[in-house]
Amino acid sequence: MARKRLTQLFPFLLPLRRWQKKRCFYLKMRLDRNRYAAQLAKTRLPYPVFEDASTVINPESGYDIAYQYNKAHNLKLAAATMDGLVIAPGETYSFWMLCRYADKKTPYKPGLSLVDGKIRGVYGGGLCQLSDLVLWLVLHTPLTIVERHPHTVKDFPAPGMPEGVDATVSEGWLDLKVRNDTEHSYQLLLDFPDELIRGRIQCSEKPQYDYCLRIDGPRYFTTQGKVYERADVYRARLDPSTGEGLEEKLLYKSCTRIGYPLPAGTAVERRD
């Protein structure tokens, strides 16, 4: 049996622990000498790079649909803190540095989130759909992923994103960070047409290369009675005039436990 954390034995200590973690979390970023992107520009950079959208309301979650509408509310608050963000050369995008105070004027609502191995409604839940989308967008650029964390458990299929493309965030613990190591500025644009969340990346100069992803997977395996999903994410650089692949690079390997029944006929390797 897993050893319980101190805050599980004494729940009244949890608010103090969260306060401590958040203080240390942001203090570390203040001292790490990175330049964090903060400029929100109303004028779009001229050259489009990539765009995509995903459905906000997921009726397949298996939980009260009200949580999905609460998630939409939360996503709009967080997205407003980074819509139009310009990431200049040498700057780093941090999910939490931007939306730290997204609920300062308008509170978040309870959304679904994984807490101590269980899905439940928590204040501000559902923001991972925004971090997932941002990751998916920047994977189609030459920007450098500095910090990214897969979900520990997926309890229902995530709408819109390919397997292996996820970036869970938890204030004080887990962030999504992306650094601009190029000579050009990139801009993040977000909006909500109909029941979608749409993201776009623009650039200050015409991109020299196109980029595409190859995901090796998903592959499923069992160990100790639990099912896991494995996916390896590669990015290829293409010649824009011919579409010819010039270089392919492994970006990361993702492994997540699956907490919902897989479709009938799914191949699952046994590793017990």
Side-chain angles (χ1 to χ4, degrees):
M1 181 179 293
R3 186 176 180 180
K4 288 190 174 182
R5 299 190 301 272
L6 186 62
T7 52
Q8 290 175 311
L9 295 172
F10 305 102
F12 66 89
L13 293 176
L14 189 56
L16 178 61
R17 177 58 173 160
R18 287 173 175 164
W19 177 86
Q20 178 194 44
K21 284 290 293 185
K22 290 177 183 180
R23 293 279 292 187
C24 293
F25 184 78
Y26 291 112
L27 178 60
K28 182 179 179 180
M29 281 197 278
R30 287 184 61 185
L31 300 176
D32 65 10
R33 297 186 179 181
N34 288 322
R35 290 193 294 117
Y36 289 99
Q39 179 191 359
L40 301 184
K42 294 183 179 179
T43 303
R44 294 184 184 180
L45 295 182
Y47 295 97
V49 178
F50 182 74
E51 73 171 78
D52 205 352
S54 63
T55 303
V56 173
I57 306 301
N58 177 15
E60 303 299 324
S61 71
Y63 295 85
D64 188 339
I65 194 66
Y67 286 123
Q68 295 297 310
Y69 291 103
N70 288 352
K71 178 185 69 172
H73 168 85
N74 297 342
L75 288 172
K76 290 176 182 178
L77 293 184
T81 69
M82 55 189 79
D83 176 35
L85 179 74
V86 175
I87 311 171
E91 288 188 334
T92 296
Y93 162 94
S94 163
F95 183 92
W96 286 118
M97 188 65 82
L98 291 162
C99 70
R100 180 180 182 181
Y101 301 115
D103 61 338
K104 187 175 182 179
K105 293 183 178 180
T106 304
Y108 286 131
K109 295 181 179 180
L112 296 177
S113 187
L114 182 67
V115 181
D116 292 333
K118 297 180 180 179
I119 291 290
R120 62 184 66 174
V122 299
Y123 182 80
L127 295 185
C128 288
Q129 186 169 355
L130 176 56
S131 55
D132 287 352
L133 177 60
V134 172
L135 174 67
W136 177 239
L137 296 173
V138 301
L139 286 175
H140 291 83
T141 75
L143 300 178
T144 303
I145 300 168
V146 177
E147 181 180 348
R148 171 259 171 192
H149 303 273
H151 286 79
T152 305
V153 183
K154 288 202 298 188
D155 278 276
F156 45 83
M161 294 297 106
E163 289 81 358
V165 179
D166 65 329
T168 187
V169 289
S170 178
E171 189 178 15
W173 280 264
L174 307 174
D175 201 0
L176 173 63
K177 292 180 181 176
V178 179
R179 188 176 62 241
N180 184 357
D181 292 326
T182 77
E183 298 178 351
H184 310 304
S185 294
Y186 286 80
Q187 185 178 35
L188 173 64
L189 300 169
L190 298 162
D191 65 343
F192 292 83
D194 299 322
E195 290 189 345
L196 299 175
I197 177 172
R198 179 173 59 188
R200 286 168 282 186
I201 295 284
Q202 305 277 125
C203 189
S204 59
E205 302 291 336
K206 185 176 181 179
Q208 185 177 4
Y209 302 104
D210 292 333
Y211 294 87
C212 72
L213 297 184
R214 179 174 68 85
I215 300 176
D216 184 7
R219 302 183 300 277
Y220 298 96
F221 65 91
T222 62
T223 181
Q224 298 181 349
K226 297 177 181 179
V227 180
Y228 293 84
E229 175 189 273
R230 171 72 182 272
D232 301 340
V233 179
Y234 294 81
R235 178 166 63 196
R237 188 173 64 181
L238 309 177
D239 184 322
S241 60
T242 65
E244 179 183 357
L246 303 176
E247 178 187 37
E248 185 178 72
K249 178 181 179 181
L250 174 64
L251 297 180
Y252 61 82
K253 298 182 178 183
S254 184
C255 187
T256 300
R257 184 161 69 85
I258 300 299
Y260 58 89
L262 294 174
T266 302
V268 181
E269 177 188 355
R270 185 169 179 175
R271 296 186 182 179
D272 293 324

